[in-house]
Amino acid sequence: MLAVPLSGPYGESRKPYSRHAFCLCESLVMSFLFPFALAQFPLLGDSGWLQFVVWILLFLVFILYGQRIQIFSMLREVESAIRKLEALKNEVRALTISAIKEMGKPAEDPTSKIDQILEFFTIPPVQLDPLGIVRKLEHVLDVRDQRFKDDVRRITPGADEAVLNNLTNLLETAVSLNYVYKQVRHFYLLGKRTSSFFVVLQIQMILPQVMMEAEAVASAAKAFILGQPLGDGVGALVAAHLIRNKTTHEVAKDIVMSESEFEGRRLFVMKAKGPGAAVGKPSDAINRIVEENSGKISLIVTVDAQVKLEGEKTGSIAEATGVAIGGYGVDKFKIEETASRLKVPVVAVLIKLSNIEALTPMKKEVFEAATSAVERVKGLLRERTKTGDSVIIAGIGNTVGII
């Protein structure tokens, strides 16, 4: 219940009484606690007063300077993380330069050009008027992707398409780590300069997650160099199982598709073009297949990795309604727009793994889950479609190391 002060003479008569009563209680408490506090320092006999004074002084120091001590401790923790981030950033930078020299055979030293690219960033389109924001965002992202590819192609004129894609993703990894390092350093220096508890607190609170993801990104860089599949590519791996030993052709940017039959159903199975690192534009491929079939598609199935919750098992499989695809949302929007306009059902098969596992080389549990996901997809086709139906199956994810 909210307490409201009384007005008028009655309220005024109670105020002195309450103040005197509080003072009386305070003096009684202190008279009781003071001898008790002195009794805690019997080691020096009559000099227990000295220990009591020291105790009071320490208490005052923590009251007056406790927050500064805490800020100092937090800054030391962030400073340690910055040193580790800087080491990761420099390691990935060195790996990138070494890989480009070895795999791309550049005519001249690419170090200065790579350092220039590391400072590259993307300016998102204005969102004051949301109408058409997805198209504008798609255009900006297309320009960015083409810019990265063109820069890598100029540095490594002798690289083939698969190597070019791997080196492009490797360079993007180096750019991401450089950005994270600069952001953490910014808040550290700002907090140090202003001695603001809350400036330091906001970076210190998320620091463990930032460090885990930074280490995962660094592991992804090594996977791009070696051409190893990532956990994020499990959706593409499922599609690869379904189109094994079948003829494929490119239907959209970096997307290959195979047309086959399963128990009387016509299947259009697609994935990003491997074995180079690519994700392609699955929305363009799906929309093209829908248009070529005059909208007569009975079901769209997307297969992708899903970030699991703590306590969930890596490699467990779940089904969902909707389009499962990450990124900035452009592909998801375009697929949903087509599906909703033509009333095509959309379902998803999801393989669960942690965010760290998605960015690191594929674990055995994730690899084995792909086989189980293939059977889950077949079960969906039997349950949700009938003989003669046409179905689109899209394996989503980075296809590095997956043919």
Side-chain angles (χ1 to χ4, degrees), residues 39-60:
Q40 305 309 308
F41 307 100
L43 298 178
L44 298 179
D46 294 337
S47 61
W49 279 93
L50 178 61
Q51 293 190 22
F52 182 69
V53 170
V54 171
W55 180 78
I56 291 295
L57 289 176
L58 289 175
F59 179 76
L60 291 176

Side-chain angles (χ1 to χ4, degrees), residues 120-140:
F120 179 81
F121 63 96
T122 304
I123 302 173
V126 65
Q127 302 180 30
L128 294 176
D129 182 6
L131 182 63
I133 184 67
V134 175
R135 302 298 177 189
K136 291 187 286 185
L137 179 60
E138 181 181 23
H139 173 68
V140 171

Side-chain angles (χ1 to χ4, degrees), residues 97-144:
I97 295 173
S98 175
I100 287 177
K101 287 181 178 179
E102 182 179 346
M103 301 165 68
K105 307 297 182 183
E108 56 185 24
D109 188 6
T111 303
S112 60
K113 184 61 179 177
I114 290 174
D115 287 337
Q116 179 184 341
I117 297 174
L118 288 179
E119 300 300 325
F120 179 81
F121 63 96
T122 304
I123 302 173
V126 65
Q127 302 180 30
L128 294 176
D129 182 6
L131 182 63
I133 184 67
V134 175
R135 302 298 177 189
K136 291 187 286 185
L137 179 60
E138 181 181 23
H139 173 68
V140 171
L141 294 176
D142 287 345
V143 172
R144 183 202 67 172

Side-chain angles (χ1 to χ4, degrees), residues 151-366:
D151 286 341
V152 175
R153 188 178 284 112
R154 278 192 292 269
I155 299 173
T156 59
D160 58 29
E161 192 66 22
V163 171
L164 182 67
N165 286 337
N166 285 350
L167 293 178
T168 301
N169 278 257
L170 175 62
L171 196 56
E172 290 182 357
T173 300
V175 170
S176 299
L177 270 178
N178 185 60
Y179 178 79
V180 170
Y181 164 73
K182 290 169 66 176
Q183 285 290 316
V184 175
R185 185 185 63 179
H186 164 74
F187 282 102
Y188 165 75
L189 294 176
L190 184 63
K192 189 175 182 180
R193 180 167 61 85
T194 61
S195 296
S196 172
F197 175 78
F198 294 102
V199 170
V200 183
L201 180 64
Q202 60 183 320
I203 188 63
Q204 192 261 352
M205 289 176 64
I206 64 171
L207 198 57
Q209 187 68 22
V210 170
M211 294 305 300
M212 284 193 296
E213 294 192 6
E215 291 172 359
V217 170
S219 298
K222 298 173 185 177
F224 289 134
I225 295 174
L226 300 174
Q228 295 176 330
L230 298 176
D232 179 65
V234 65
L237 181 59
V238 172
H241 284 309
L242 291 171
I243 64 177
R244 183 181 299 167
N245 301 324
K246 295 181 176 65
T247 303
T248 61
H249 62 280
E250 193 163 343
V251 291
K253 180 184 177 182
D254 293 331
I255 296 291
V256 294
M257 187 200 73
S258 173
E259 186 176 343
S260 61
E261 186 175 318
F262 172 75
E263 297 181 2
R265 298 157 177 84
R266 189 182 180 194
L267 302 184
F268 301 94
V269 184
M270 60 186 67
K271 62 178 282 294
K273 184 180 179 180
V279 293
K281 302 190 76 172
S283 59
D284 290 350
I286 290 174
N287 290 343
R288 176 180 173 180
I289 299 303
V290 171
E291 290 175 5
E292 289 179 353
N293 288 270
S294 303
K296 295 178 181 179
I297 299 295
S298 301
L299 186 67
I300 297 175
V301 182
T302 51
V303 186
D304 198 5
Q306 182 195 24
V307 177
K308 68 173 185 175
L309 301 175
E310 290 296 330
E312 291 184 316
K313 184 180 177 182
T314 296
S316 58
I317 301 173
E319 297 178 15
T321 300
V323 179
I325 183 169
Y328 290 91
V330 173
D331 283 294
K332 182 178 174 67
F333 172 84
K334 292 166 70 175
I335 297 172
E336 290 173 344
E337 190 178 49
T338 299
S340 60
R341 178 168 52 85
L342 299 175
K343 307 299 181 184
V344 180
V346 286
V347 297
V349 175
L350 304 167
I351 298 94
K352 298 188 177 184
L353 63 166
S354 70
N355 199 26
I356 310 303
E357 291 167 336
L359 296 173
T360 50
M362 187 178 293
K363 297 176 66 175
K364 179 182 177 181
E365 296 90 338
V366 179

